[in-house]
Amino acid sequence: MTDLTKLPVTVITGFLGSGKTTLISHLMQNSGGKRLAVLVNEFGDLGVDGEMLKGCAIPDCPAENIMELANGCICCTVADDFIPTIEALMAMEPRPEHILIETSGLALPKPLLKAFDWPDIRSRITVDGVIAVADVEAVAAGRFAPNVAAVDAQRAADDSIDHETPLSEVFEDQISCADIVLLTKPDLAGPEGVATARATIEAEAPRKLPIIEVAEGAVDPRVILGLEAAAEDDLHARPSHHDDAHDHDHDDFESVVVELPEQADPAILAGRIEALARSQNILRVKGYAAVQGKPMRLLVQAVGARVRHQYDRPWGTDEPRATRLVVIAEHDDIDPRAIRAALEG
């Protein structure tokens, strides 16, 4: 790559817990010798995804090439955070050959694409492609519009009222902006669920998109890198619910960090998280837990009531053994006191 070549960037978007971090980890481990850099935008104060990726660092994507923006939506902090971080990545020696951007599950991708027209970077960088990662089981279950028939009936009765949920708008904007859609965790949904998810995505997409099933993020990098889409130049083909808005915010969503003592049993903690998701409509829980008598740190990831946990690495000698979890939900469903009570049991 010469200094005059535009540096390609792949934007990886997708709903909470869809598998974006797993995908990026796979790309890092299968870069084919290409020097990568990664920018992770977290929603919430605890940088779980960035730390997970740094644990997967390899010579072609060392830990110093992985940066985080954890203080707001990446598309709402362009001048203050995004542009300086991108410039820092481009200034690295040796220069990265490709940048991967993992947006938060709540980010709208189109405003981010508009940021690539920023005068300081537009001649030096291009959006190689937008990859939307979709959880098959969640899409097939229609969680983005919990009762589609009722919503349609209400809209038909009163055209002046918009009954779409914030989650549905985020999902639709992500699909509309994508060049490729990856269907993750197809084994959990089965053939019928995969077919339903495909039909849902095809109905939402403004144009025909490649839709690929992947398990554990395992997709050939040649399929999703090197698309040369120059997405920043064809924004008209990527419609959004927010095209007429001057800006947007994420007041519909909120996060809270809960700190707990060491846990006696991972299964008990998982059961409490599952019960919390069902009783308080929690979208996402992620973080780390200290387990009594265990030298390893427990990684906790939950999407709705589906909870996964595994030991990821030993606790460092200089870090406190504690349990810290980020809980994300729509604004009206966040009750910090009730959430803490549920997780404490």
Side-chain angles (χ1 to χ4, degrees):
M1 179 183 296
T2 70
D3 289 340
L4 299 178
T5 302
K6 284 191 174 184
L7 181 61
V9 173
T10 295
V11 176
I12 299 176
T13 185
F15 200 63
L16 298 163
S18 58
K20 301 185 298 296
T21 304
T22 302
L23 171 64
I24 291 177
S25 176
H26 174 78
L27 294 174
M28 288 169 56
Q29 299 294 328
N30 296 274
S31 66
K34 181 177 293 187
R35 293 191 303 276
L36 300 179
V38 179
L39 175 57
V40 180
N41 183 211
E42 295 268 34
F43 184 85
D45 298 325
L46 187 59
V48 176
D49 294 345
E51 188 167 346
M52 286 174 59
L53 291 174
K54 287 178 181 179
C56 301
I58 59 172
D60 289 325
C61 188
E64 57 267 27
N65 282 29
I66 302 170
M67 296 189 178
E68 296 176 74
L69 293 179
N71 58 342
C73 168
I74 194 172
C75 48
C76 299
T77 58
V78 172
D80 294 335
D81 296 307
F82 174 66
I83 297 300
T85 304
I86 285 292
E87 289 183 320
L89 289 174
M90 289 191 292
M92 285 183 166
E93 291 293 343
R95 185 189 187 199
E97 295 174 285
H98 204 114
I99 296 176
L100 307 176
I101 296 181
E102 177 186 344
T103 70
S104 81
L106 306 177
L108 303 174
K110 190 166 183 178
L112 174 58
L113 298 188
K114 292 179 179 178
F116 285 86
D117 196 39
W118 198 265
D120 291 345
I121 64 170
R122 63 188 176 189
S123 65
R124 298 183 289 153
I125 201 163
T126 183
V127 181
D128 180 71
V130 179
I131 310 302
V133 184
D135 182 310
V136 174
E137 192 177 40
V139 175
R143 293 176 189 157
F144 309 106
N147 190 332
V148 177
V151 169
D152 289 342
Q154 289 174 324
R155 184 179 294 112
D158 187 350
D159 291 337
S160 68
I161 300 177
D162 180 2
H163 292 285
E164 289 185 316
T165 68
L167 302 186
S168 70
E169 291 191 3
V170 172
F171 173 69
E172 290 162 13
D173 277 16
Q174 290 171 348
I175 296 300
S176 294
C177 213
D179 294 291
I180 293 177
V181 179
L182 302 184
L183 293 178
T184 60
K185 311 166 194 173
D187 54 311
L188 299 179
E192 185 175 338
V194 170
T196 300
R198 281 182 176 274
T200 299
I201 291 169
E202 288 170 353
E204 296 295 346
R207 60 198 180 283
K208 186 171 180 58
L209 295 175
I211 302 175
I212 304 169
E213 296 176 42
V214 300
E216 299 298 329
V219 61
D220 191 327
R222 294 174 299 177
V223 175
I224 61 175
L225 302 183
L227 300 181
E228 300 183 355
E232 70 276 15
D233 292 334
D234 72 342
L235 296 179
H236 64 281
R238 303 166 191 265
S240 165
H241 285 281
H242 303 268
D243 281 340
D244 296 329
H246 295 294
D247 55 17
H248 70 279
D249 56 51
H250 295 300
D251 289 342
D252 293 315
F253 304 96
E254 193 170 334
S255 69
V256 60
V257 176
V258 178
E259 298 192 14
L260 301 169
E262 290 193 11
Q263 301 295 297
D265 186 342
I268 294 176
L269 177 61
R272 290 173 180 167
I273 294 172
E274 181 178 345
L276 171 66
R278 296 188 188 282
S279 65
Q280 300 189 44
N281 198 30
I282 300 301
L283 301 173
R284 187 85 161 90
V285 178
K286 58 182 180 178
Y288 302 101
V291 179
Q292 295 174 6
K294 299 293 184 180
M296 300 285 286
R297 188 180 65 174
L298 186 75
L299 171 65
V300 179
Q301 297 270 26
V303 182
R306 192 169 72 230
V307 185
R308 299 175 65 181
H309 54 81
Q310 65 187 61
Y311 294 102
D312 69 332
R313 67 165 175 79
W315 287 100
T317 56
D318 58 345
E319 61 181 332
R321 288 177 56 92
T323 299
R324 299 188 75 217
L325 302 172
V326 177
V327 180
I328 304 173
E330 292 189 60
H331 178 78
D332 292 343
D333 294 318
I334 285 285
D335 181 340
R337 184 175 299 179
I339 289 171
R340 171 172 287 279
L343 292 177
E344 288 178 342

